[in-house]
Amino acid sequence: VGEEELHRLALLCDYDDEPERWRETFEVLCREHAWEADVGLDFGHFSATVNDENSFFYLDSEELRAVLDKLEGAPEEQLRASASSSARGASAMAAVLEVPSDASSAGPLAEEVF
């Protein structure tokens, strides 16, 4: 998951800072979590991030499904508009990860979903 994909998720997790500031935010996140900015998050880092209840990107199973629904084909402008009206919708995650929309999980993000 690269900078652009994580930004799409951030918008659905109520990230409301100026778009120009996202690059700086992403770089800070990379330093704090020892992610390689030019590579992005691998599955392990991404999974740990969305499963960490103290993370801004935390998503429970229901939120993850909602983010997946919203991300499928939604342009950034649409995500920005819908992010403010959704309570941390989980559908954005699917489009970011290109996960089949029929993927399901009984608990938080699990490897078998991918």
Side-chain angles (χ1 to χ4, degrees):
V1 176
E3 178 182 350
E4 184 177 323
E5 293 86 4
L6 196 61
H7 185 227
R8 292 181 75 195
L9 174 60
L11 292 173
L12 290 168
C13 291
D14 297 330
Y15 176 81
D16 60 0
D17 210 344
E18 296 299 318
E20 310 77 57
R21 297 229 14 197
W22 172 250
R23 176 103 179 118
E24 178 183 333
T25 300
F26 181 73
E27 290 173 358
V28 168
L29 287 168
C30 288
R31 282 192 302 273
E32 288 178 353
H33 298 284
W35 302 334
E36 294 183 50
D38 57 332
V39 175
L41 289 73
D42 62 19
F43 177 80
H45 289 133
F46 182 77
S47 178
T49 300
V50 298
N51 283 302
D52 179 356
E53 292 183 16
N54 295 314
S55 168
F56 173 78
F57 296 101
Y58 172 74
L59 296 167
D60 64 26
S61 295
E62 186 176 314
E63 291 170 326
L64 179 59
R65 284 187 201 99
V67 167
L68 292 173
D69 291 341
K70 289 180 183 177
L71 279 178
E72 292 178 345
E76 185 171 317
E77 300 80 37
Q78 184 179 356
L79 292 176
R80 186 171 289 285
S82 67
S84 61
S85 65
S86 71
R88 297 196 55 180
S91 63
M93 190 72 63
V96 166
L97 300 174
E98 298 179 14
V99 175
S101 60
D102 62 340
S104 62
S105 174
L109 183 65
E111 283 192 36
E112 58 267 12
V113 173
F114 301 96

